[in-house]
């Protein structure tokens, strides 16, 4: 298995685990926060899918995010921009998913975008440098952005 196949498989596994863990939850369970400092499952799902969409679409591919072009923000009554980084606890707690099946459709669409993009990349393509503000040089290879900064970040939130 090459790196591209590994990334594709890992994103599919991540999404499958999120769907399995949430598919039978009620709206109230999705909204629940254990205390003022932690996130709800709604926020974690939104943040995860938005991070994937925003970073892989805009930062890596240089295209508009599905969120922006598909009317998803209006459909769910959620912010049009951003993905939650820097949210105060009050902002994070105000975000709710009231239609989980529809929201998971958005997640599947993002996954399909990522999978289609990765399927077209060679190992050499994964080493192309893209701007990344947190990198000491201001750039990182696509493999690091997609693998380290997107996928592993969301795996970490999944464990919340």
């Amino acid at each position: 298995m090459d790196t591209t196949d590994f990334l594709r498989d890992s994103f599919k596994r991540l999404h499958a685990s999120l769907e399995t863990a949430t598919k039978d939850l009620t709206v109230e369970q999705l909204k629940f926060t254990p205390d003022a400092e932690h996130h709800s499952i709604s926020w974690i799902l939104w943040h995860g899918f938005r991070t994937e969409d925003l970073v892989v679409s805009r930062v890596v591919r240089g295209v508009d995010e599905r969120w922006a072009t598909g009317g998803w923000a209006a459909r769910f009554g959620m912010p049009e921009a951003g993905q939650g980084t820097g949210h105060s606890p009050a902002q994070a707690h105000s975000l709710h998913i009231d239609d989980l099946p529809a929201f998971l459709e958005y997640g599947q669409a993002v996954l399909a975008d990522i999978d289609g993009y990765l399927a077209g990349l060679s190992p050499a393509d994964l080493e192309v440098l893209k701007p990344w503000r947190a990198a000491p040089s201001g750039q990182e290879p696509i493999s690091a952005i997609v693998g380290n900064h997107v996928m592993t970040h969301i795996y970490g939130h999944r464990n919340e």
Side-chain angles (χ1 to χ4, degrees):
M1 176 183 288
D2 67 17
T3 304
T4 302
D5 291 336
F6 171 78
L7 289 170
R8 292 177 69 204
D9 182 65
S10 296
F11 273 106
K12 289 174 189 172
R13 288 173 186 260
L14 174 59
H15 276 255
S17 71
L18 290 170
E19 288 184 24
T20 299
T22 61
K23 68 181 178 180
D24 296 323
L25 297 180
T26 66
V27 171
E28 287 307 311
Q29 289 169 321
L30 290 168
K31 291 179 181 180
F32 174 77
T33 55
D35 59 42
E37 298 301 315
H38 290 88
H39 301 106
S40 69
I41 295 169
S42 286
W43 188 90
I44 292 167
L45 283 176
W46 172 78
H47 173 69
F49 294 161
R50 285 292 297 125
T51 298
E52 289 177 335
D53 190 11
L54 187 140
V55 174
V56 177
S57 294
R58 190 177 337 148
V59 175
V60 175
R61 296 173 60 205
V63 300
D64 288 335
E65 309 142 54
R66 180 171 286 275
W67 188 256
T69 61
W72 295 98
R75 183 174 177 183
F76 298 116
M78 295 181 175
E80 298 244 354
Q83 48 37 297
T85 298
H87 266 182
S88 69
Q91 289 172 305
H93 293 171
S94 71
L95 195 137
H96 301 291
I97 297 172
D98 295 321
D99 185 348
L100 182 60
F103 197 78
L104 292 175
E105 284 178 33
Y106 165 67
Q108 283 298 315
V110 171
L111 174 61
D113 290 345
I114 292 170
D115 188 60
Y117 170 70
L118 291 173
L121 298 182
S122 70
D125 293 332
L126 289 172
E127 298 312 312
V128 170
L129 296 175
K130 294 284 183 170
W132 191 254
R133 67 182 180 349
S137 69
Q139 296 182 322
E140 290 219 358
I142 290 171
S143 60
I145 294 170
V146 172
N148 296 340
H149 303 300
V150 176
M151 185 177 19
T152 60
H153 177 79
I154 297 161
Y155 265 113
H157 278 298
R158 181 196 69 171
N159 294 323
E160 286 183 66

mmCIF file of all heavy atoms in Angstrom, residues 17 79 103 160:
data_model
loop_
_atom_site.group_PDB
_atom_site.id
_atom_site.type_symbol
_atom_site.label_atom_id
_atom_site.label_comp_id
_atom_site.label_asym_id
_atom_site.label_seq_id
_atom_site.Cartn_x
_atom_site.Cartn_y
_atom_site.Cartn_z
ATOM 1 N N SER A 17 -16.053 5.351 11.346
ATOM 2 C CA SER A 17 -16.096 5.315 12.815
ATOM 3 C C SER A 17 -16.963 6.438 13.371
ATOM 4 O O SER A 17 -17.702 6.239 14.341
ATOM 5 C CB SER A 17 -14.686 5.369 13.413
ATOM 6 O OG SER A 17 -14.087 6.636 13.250
ATOM 7 N N PRO A 79 -22.470 28.736 10.923
ATOM 8 C CA PRO A 79 -21.610 29.775 10.349
ATOM 9 C C PRO A 79 -21.173 29.451 8.925
ATOM 10 O O PRO A 79 -20.874 28.301 8.603
ATOM 11 C CB PRO A 79 -20.399 29.786 11.285
ATOM 12 C CG PRO A 79 -20.866 29.166 12.550
ATOM 13 C CD PRO A 79 -21.925 28.182 12.173
ATOM 14 N N PHE A 103 -26.666 15.942 7.944
ATOM 15 C CA PHE A 103 -25.310 16.411 8.203
ATOM 16 C C PHE A 103 -24.283 15.354 7.805
ATOM 17 O O PHE A 103 -23.221 15.680 7.265
ATOM 18 C CB PHE A 103 -25.129 16.820 9.666
ATOM 19 C CG PHE A 103 -23.905 17.661 9.861
ATOM 20 C CD1 PHE A 103 -23.919 19.001 9.527
ATOM 21 C CD2 PHE A 103 -22.727 17.099 10.322
ATOM 22 C CE1 PHE A 103 -22.777 19.780 9.656
ATOM 23 C CE2 PHE A 103 -21.581 17.872 10.458
ATOM 24 C CZ PHE A 103 -21.609 19.219 10.119
ATOM 25 N N GLU A 160 -12.684 12.470 21.807
ATOM 26 C CA GLU A 160 -13.339 13.234 22.856
ATOM 27 C C GLU A 160 -14.668 12.586 23.178
ATOM 28 O O GLU A 160 -15.281 12.759 24.150
ATOM 29 C CB GLU A 160 -13.586 14.678 22.398
ATOM 30 C CG GLU A 160 -12.322 15.520 22.366
ATOM 31 C CD GLU A 160 -12.612 16.952 21.994
ATOM 32 O OE1 GLU A 160 -13.279 17.638 22.776
ATOM 33 O OE2 GLU A 160 -12.183 17.380 20.914
#
